[in-house]
Amino acid sequence: MSMLTPPGMGGKYRITGDKYPRMRRPRNHRRIVTAAVAGVVALGLAGWGTVQLIDAFTGGSDKETTASRKPGCQPAKNTATPPPAAPVTLKPAQVTVNVYNATPRGGLAKAAADELKARGFTIGKVGNATAEYDKKVPGPAVLLGAPGATKGPFSVLSTQLSGATTKTDARTTGDVDLILGTSFTALAPKPTAEQALVALAKPAPKPKTAC
């Protein structure tokens, strides 16, 4: 046995040359795995930080605000809010109504005029409609008056019957024509008409949508 042979290794591992064998330490796999995981975490943190910076400069907070809104709510637009409808304080006695019959049924204009008078309206002329409207009004009625009638008289008279259409002409007087059409049967029930007049004087405010 050579003096260079380590004890216990016997002749099987006898060293015959003048160089010692190099004993390598086994690789530590745990350290390699730990280093790899740390690298992945570092890359992930770097990416997350980059995304946050992009959101900060591109308005990422707007996305969060949009997502947090309740369903059905729309963002407010930069438009002026239309004013609420002004109440109509005009009384029936302040509205002069001319009642004309545009149907083949006789006595219809007089019956409607008498009922409107009983409800407080001022009655003007009563008779048959002119050739322009005679048997040419398919609906319940046509309300005809000056352009200013749209701001009050039409609304007040409309509470007495439903489905009437409105039309203006060149007159300068404040009276309103009620031209009864083919489908007219009767005025609205008096309690219903009175409730409509009250609602016209005090319109209910529009409900606000909470977003």
Side-chain angles (χ1 to χ4, degrees):
M1 180 183 298
S2 170
M3 294 181 64
L4 297 177
T5 303
M9 297 184 67
K12 183 178 180 180
Y13 300 98
R14 181 177 301 173
I15 300 174
T16 57
D18 56 354
K19 295 182 180 180
Y20 289 95
R22 295 182 178 180
M23 300 296 182
R24 294 182 179 179
R25 294 183 179 180
R27 295 181 178 179
N28 194 333
H29 294 286
R30 184 176 299 177
R31 292 183 179 179
I32 296 175
V33 173
T34 303
V37 171
V40 172
V41 172
L43 290 175
L45 291 175
W48 179 82
T50 302
V51 171
Q52 294 299 314
L53 288 175
I54 293 175
D55 286 344
F57 287 100
T58 58
S61 59
D62 293 339
K63 299 179 181 179
E64 297 178 359
T65 304
T66 302
S68 62
R69 292 193 184 103
K70 295 181 180 180
C73 292
Q74 298 295 332
K77 297 180 180 180
N78 294 327
T79 56
T81 303
V88 178
T89 57
L90 200 64
K91 303 297 182 182
Q94 298 173 277
V95 180
T96 299
V97 184
N98 304 313
V99 185
Y100 298 108
N101 184 8
T103 76
R105 293 170 285 171
L108 202 61
K110 185 178 185 307
D114 291 343
E115 181 62 26
L116 287 174
K117 184 176 181 180
R119 297 184 182 187
F121 287 86
T122 300
I123 304 301
K125 299 177 182 179
V126 179
N128 294 324
T130 61
E132 182 181 357
Y133 294 98
D134 189 26
K135 301 179 182 63
K136 298 177 182 178
V137 180
V142 171
L143 305 185
L144 183 64
T150 59
K151 299 180 180 180
F154 281 174
S155 299
V156 175
L157 188 55
S158 293
T159 61
Q160 307 302 308
L161 72 166
S162 60
T165 58
T166 60
K167 186 177 179 180
T168 60
D169 56 15
R171 76 181 70 184
T172 57
T173 57
D175 58 327
V176 175
D177 294 347
L178 172 60
I179 306 174
L180 304 177
T182 303
S183 62
F184 175 82
T185 55
L187 297 176
K190 188 175 181 180
T192 303
E194 290 177 348
Q195 291 178 2
L197 284 171
V198 172
L200 193 64
K202 297 180 180 180
K206 294 182 179 180
K208 296 182 180 180
T209 302
C211 293

